Amino acid sequence: MATETLTIGTIGDGFMQPRFFEEALQRRLGDRPVTYKNMILDWPLKVQSTKRDPVLPVAEFVGRPEHYFEFLSDLDILVTHLAPVTSDSLRHAPKLKIIAVSRGGPVNIEMPAARERGVTVVNTPGRNASAVAEFTVASLLAETRNLIRGHLSVASGEFKRDFYHFDYTGPELCELTVGIVGYGDIGTRVARLLRPFGCKILVSDPFKQLTDEDRAACIEKVELDDLLRSADVVTLHPRVTPETKGMIGRARIEMMKPGAYIVNTTRGQVLDYAALYDALVSGHLKGAALDTFDPEPPPADLPLLKLPNVTLSPHIAGASRYSIIKAADMIAEDIGRILDGEPPLYPTK
């Protein structure tokens, strides 16, 4: 692969556009002979949701594996965001040696089949961590300080002064304890962004240890149930695994502090939305900021969507331009390293 002309194909979309990956690869690969071919999916404007199919061993994908067989047939390297790659796909890609996935985890790749075929798979962990962390803090502020409700008031011509009444005003971050569930790339950035506000920060993650920087900032690591009992705000950032699905269910919502808030910018599967609705209606929880749902999009008649004490967004926390550039650079670097005979920085095991 070092001297022959390589064929690199990118299956992009309206967000992860192929041109950014081609530009990054051209910078990294230099004069290496490469033929580029691209496909652009209609996501997210025409196809607005990604799929889960119990029949297929992949998740969060657009289209069907067979839709891409012809495109894969002459590729040495595939760069993809949302196209599914299964064992059937690989049988139609006899030359394929590298798959690069521009997302935090290769959930749309049938990894056992790739390993069996000897195909190296890399992905882009943390490519949107900064974007999601910023959005998380923005969502928290929007919900606690009535930003969206205030906007709607002014836009409707009401200019309501209710939000200056003590009963309707929100807290300042400096007086809150914020609990961060999941302390990976995103959770750690959320903590860094929150520190200047002066809030107390608790974290819960069985796989992460506090750093010297964390301890110097008085961040405390606690068990999940202790975090829920102590935090004024709980923000969720665990990766979805069998262990984390439904981890914040009715019992754990009930143990949260009265008047607390919850923020979810990870995945809908980690949170029981029916139980959340009951807690918001009863007043046990004061508010919620939700960027993700299960399923997506949520049903238009979902009662949770009609509550006045929620701030809603359509799963856009990771949608920043910088995250695209970062993903393209990460992928180009790893492809270059593999072609140079070096280990990739972001291998998928």
Side-chain angles (χ1 to χ4, degrees):
M1 294 178 65
T3 57
E4 65 184 12
T5 298
L6 298 169
T7 301
I8 301 179
T10 299
I11 303 176
D13 48 62
F15 178 50
M16 290 283 174
Q17 298 184 13
R19 61 191 176 99
F20 295 106
F21 295 94
E22 186 170 331
E23 291 169 1
L25 285 163
Q26 288 172 343
R27 289 192 298 270
R28 178 60 176 83
L29 301 184
D31 296 331
R32 190 185 296 271
V34 177
T35 297
Y36 295 97
K37 56 185 288 190
N38 299 322
M39 176 185 290
I40 300 180
L41 308 182
D42 287 334
W43 187 89
L45 296 184
K46 293 184 179 179
V47 179
Q48 297 185 347
S49 62
T50 53
K51 296 180 181 177
R52 295 184 184 88
D53 186 336
V55 176
L56 293 177
V58 291
E60 297 186 20
F61 57 90
V62 168
R64 303 291 299 180
E66 56 269 24
H67 295 165
Y68 308 100
F69 287 171
E70 183 177 354
F71 184 85
L72 297 173
S73 61
D74 63 342
L75 297 187
D76 297 293
I77 299 170
L78 169 66
V79 179
T80 181
H81 180 214
L82 293 172
V85 178
T86 64
S87 56
D88 287 341
S89 307
L90 296 175
R91 281 192 284 272
H92 287 79
K95 296 172 56 183
L96 194 64
K97 297 299 182 185
I98 301 171
I99 299 173
V101 186
S102 60
R103 58 199 306 174
V107 294
N108 52 321
I109 311 299
E110 186 178 351
M111 286 303 302
R115 285 191 288 266
E116 184 177 348
R117 259 284 306 276
V119 176
T120 300
V121 180
V122 298
N123 62 298
T124 55
R127 50 103 174 164
N128 63 2
S130 178
V132 177
E134 289 182 3
F135 194 94
T136 297
V137 176
S139 297
L140 167 57
L141 287 167
E143 172 56 32
T144 58
R145 299 301 303 278
N146 291 313
L147 179 60
I148 305 302
R149 290 180 282 275
H151 162 81
L152 293 174
S153 166
V154 176
S156 69
E158 293 184 24
F159 206 83
K160 294 174 65 174
R161 302 301 289 170
D162 303 31
F163 302 121
Y164 232 109
H165 191 286
F166 180 85
D167 292 343
Y168 300 109
T169 57
E172 295 182 27
L173 285 180
C174 64
E175 59 179 307
L176 301 181
T177 296
V178 178
I180 301 173
V181 180
Y183 204 51
D185 289 326
I186 296 170
T188 54
R189 283 172 170 80
V190 170
R192 291 192 196 111
L193 292 175
L194 287 174
R195 279 160 47 185
F197 288 95
C199 49
K200 181 178 180 179
I201 300 174
L202 306 176
V203 302
S204 177
D205 189 322
F207 305 105
K208 298 291 183 178
Q209 299 300 320
L210 296 182
T211 65
D212 291 340
E213 178 186 351
D214 291 331
R215 285 185 283 269
C218 298
I219 295 173
E220 298 179 30
K221 182 180 177 182
V222 297
E223 295 297 323
L224 176 57
D225 289 353
D226 293 331
L227 180 149
L228 296 172
R229 294 186 183 100
S230 302
D232 300 294
V233 176
V234 174
T235 179
L236 305 176
H237 304 286
R239 185 173 294 279
V240 176
T241 66
E243 293 75 24
T244 62
K245 285 184 178 180
M247 68 183 300
I248 308 298
R250 187 171 299 274
R252 280 185 161 146
I253 289 174
E254 289 175 354
M255 70 174 60
M256 290 176 63
K257 288 178 67 174
Y261 298 83
I262 193 163
V263 180
N264 189 13
T265 56
T266 180
R267 289 294 189 273
Q269 298 99 304
V270 304
L271 177 61
D272 184 336
Y273 279 62
L276 174 63
Y277 172 82
D278 291 341
L280 290 167
V281 169
S282 70
H284 175 62
L285 296 185
K286 188 169 184 180
L290 308 172
D291 184 55
T292 56
F293 305 87
D294 185 28
E296 288 187 347
D301 60 353
L302 185 69
L304 181 65
L305 307 184
K306 314 303 180 185
L307 294 181
N309 53 339
V310 292
T311 296
L312 307 170
S313 49
H315 201 155
I316 55 173
S320 77
R321 294 185 175 186
Y322 178 65
S323 66
I324 304 167
I325 304 301
K326 185 174 181 180
D329 287 341
M330 293 169 74
I331 280 176
E333 177 60 25
D334 260 1
I335 289 174
R337 289 174 66 89
I338 294 168
L339 295 178
D340 291 341
E342 301 175 9
L345 297 175
Y346 310 104
T348 300
K349 299 179 181 179

